[in-house]
Amino acid sequence: MTHKPDPRTLFQVFKEIGIIEQLSRARLEARLPDGLIAPHFAVLSHLINRGDGAVPIDMARAFQVPKTSMTHTLKGLAAKGHVELRANPQDGRSKTVWLTDKGRALREEVIQALAPGFGDMMQHIDPDELAQMLPTLIKLRSYLDAARNGEGKT
Amino acid sequence: MTHKPDPRTLFQVFKEIGIIEQLSRARLEARLPDGLIAPHFAVLSHLINRGDGAVPIDMARAFQVPKTSMTHTLKGLAAKGHVELRANPQDGRSKTVWLTDKGRALREEVIQALAPGFGDMMQHIDPDELAQMLPTLIKLRSYLDAARNGEGKT
DNA sequence: CTTGAGTGGTACGATATCGTACTATGAATA
DNA sequence: TATTCATAGTACGATATCGTACCACTCAAG
């Protein structure tokens, strides 16, 4: 049967998630060139997965960050030539974000650089166990996303 | 049988974890008074759980943050009277951190303020499902922690 | 059309994070 | 003891995050 939830367990789940986020981010950033950090890589991956030409405000929402943060991140990527900002023919207020060849290449290189680390991780942790966790993580993320009412500044 | 791990699944796990961390942090900080943020609360909780009189450098390691970040966080808490820094009689280089009554009270208030949100969450997500995830999260965190070699600046 | 509310982007300022460098203390070794 | 190395804390500077304010453009109501 289902028992009363122990808040301590819940707290611990969030605590572990927080630390994992920190450590995995550090791990990723160790493989990124000089001035780039995790959010830059996240943007490149997003553009690969979802396709070119995204509107900055939509990306800010996808990442759950304020639009000013997205502006800052995109400025950094554009300055290094990894993305290109173009006017949005559909809406004069907004822009569209496009990957450059340099940006695509960088994303590929970083993934290659991460591969050995992934391999090592798989030797210490059962991949299936991680995969089984995914649906629960998605539920949790979805709930938190939906419950975040009113605060919707993004 | 266990199949070859799909890197996409792995990526997604880290991505969901990253978003959950962001959203849960925002949720916590919405309940904190003016100038306090998540790391401040984390320190208060740590001192309750592990006991008073901890040494800053040990707390920095526990949280996996650079010692300069811990100095900054403790300075903020001390300025608001939630903790007190005292000399360490065991080691003239270091200090010890002590909760004040104000700090203990604040921690309690915040937990009370979080309770309704937890209750709501439990109505949408099976607590057992979260609890079952915990061992895997701990394994993952432990691995990442151990694998973080050489970078041990903290 | 004109007007007024809503929205996307950015400038700006406050604060957080974190790397580097420095100081003071402790510990090990000769 | 004297010398050398290691460690805890902090000052400082660079950059990231994010809230507020503002401008330009869109869209709907009239």
Side-chain angles (χ1 to χ4, degrees):
Chain A
M1 70 195 130
T2 296
H3 311 285
K4 303 181 209 70
D6 178 1
R8 291 169 163 278
T9 303
L10 274 279
F11 263 112
Q12 206 184 347
V13 166
F14 286 114
K15 183 178 141 190
E16 296 294 341
I17 285 178
I19 295 181
I20 290 168
E21 190 277 337
Q22 252 178 327
L23 293 173
S24 61
R25 180 164 40 83
R27 217 153 189 247
L28 167 63
E29 289 178 352
R31 303 298 184 176
L32 291 179
D34 68 327
L36 297 185
I37 58 180
H40 295 124
F41 178 76
V43 164
L44 295 182
S45 277
H46 181 86
L47 291 173
I48 292 275
N49 293 328
R50 306 284 171 166
D52 261 321
V55 176
I57 188 71
D58 292 334
M59 302 176 60
R61 289 187 180 123
F63 291 149
Q64 304 286 4
V65 298
K67 57 185 180 175
T68 56
S69 302
M70 185 52 63
T71 295
H72 184 75
T73 301
L74 290 175
K75 191 190 291 184
L77 281 171
K80 297 203 188 298
H82 298 297
V83 302
E84 217 180 75
L85 294 178
R86 303 185 196 151
N88 183 352
Q90 313 284 298
D91 188 334
R93 293 168 298 179
S94 68
K95 302 182 173 176
T96 55
V97 189
W98 302 84
L99 284 164
T100 62
D101 288 343
K102 191 177 170 188
R104 290 175 198 278
L106 172 63
R107 196 253 179 177
E108 196 53 40
E109 288 161 21
V110 172
I111 288 184
Q112 294 305 319
L114 287 172
F118 268 31
D120 182 70
M121 198 189 329
M122 294 306 90
Q123 291 182 342
H124 293 79
I125 301 183
D126 179 8
D128 288 345
E129 212 178 316
L130 290 182
Q132 281 163 17
M133 196 166 57
L134 190 50
T136 306
L137 287 173
I138 291 175
K139 274 183 216 165
L140 182 54
R141 187 259 300 157
S142 298
Y143 167 77
L144 290 172
D145 193 5
R148 167 194 56 101
N149 287 329
E151 353 283 325
K153 290 295 173 187
T154 299
Chain B
M1 69 194 130
T2 296
H3 310 284
K4 305 183 209 67
D6 178 1
R8 292 170 163 277
T9 303
L10 274 279
F11 264 112
Q12 205 184 346
V13 166
F14 287 114
K15 183 178 141 191
E16 297 293 342
I17 285 178
I19 296 181
I20 290 169
E21 190 278 336
Q22 250 178 329
L23 293 173
S24 61
R25 180 164 41 83
R27 218 155 189 245
L28 166 62
E29 289 179 351
R31 303 298 184 177
L32 292 178
D34 67 329
L36 297 186
I37 59 179
H40 295 123
F41 178 76
V43 164
L44 295 181
S45 276
H46 181 85
L47 291 173
I48 292 276
N49 293 329
R50 305 285 171 166
D52 262 321
V55 176
I57 188 71
D58 292 334
M59 302 176 61
R61 289 188 180 122
F63 291 150
Q64 305 286 5
V65 298
K67 56 185 180 175
T68 56
S69 302
M70 185 52 64
T71 296
H72 184 76
T73 301
L74 290 175
K75 191 189 290 184
L77 282 171
K80 297 202 188 300
H82 297 298
V83 302
E84 217 179 75
L85 294 179
R86 303 184 197 153
N88 184 352
Q90 313 284 297
D91 188 334
R93 292 169 299 181
S94 68
K95 301 182 175 176
T96 55
V97 189
W98 301 85
L99 284 164
T100 62
D101 289 343
K102 192 177 171 189
R104 289 175 199 277
L106 172 63
R107 197 253 178 174
E108 196 54 40
E109 288 161 19
V110 172
I111 288 185
Q112 294 305 320
L114 286 172
F118 267 31
D120 183 70
M121 198 190 329
M122 294 306 90
Q123 291 183 343
H124 293 78
I125 301 182
D126 179 7
D128 287 344
E129 212 178 318
L130 290 183
Q132 281 163 16
M133 195 166 57
L134 190 50
T136 305
L137 287 174
I138 292 176
K139 274 183 218 167
L140 182 54
R141 187 258 302 156
S142 299
Y143 166 76
L144 290 173
D145 193 5
R148 167 193 56 100
N149 289 329
E151 352 283 326
K153 291 293 175 188
T154 300

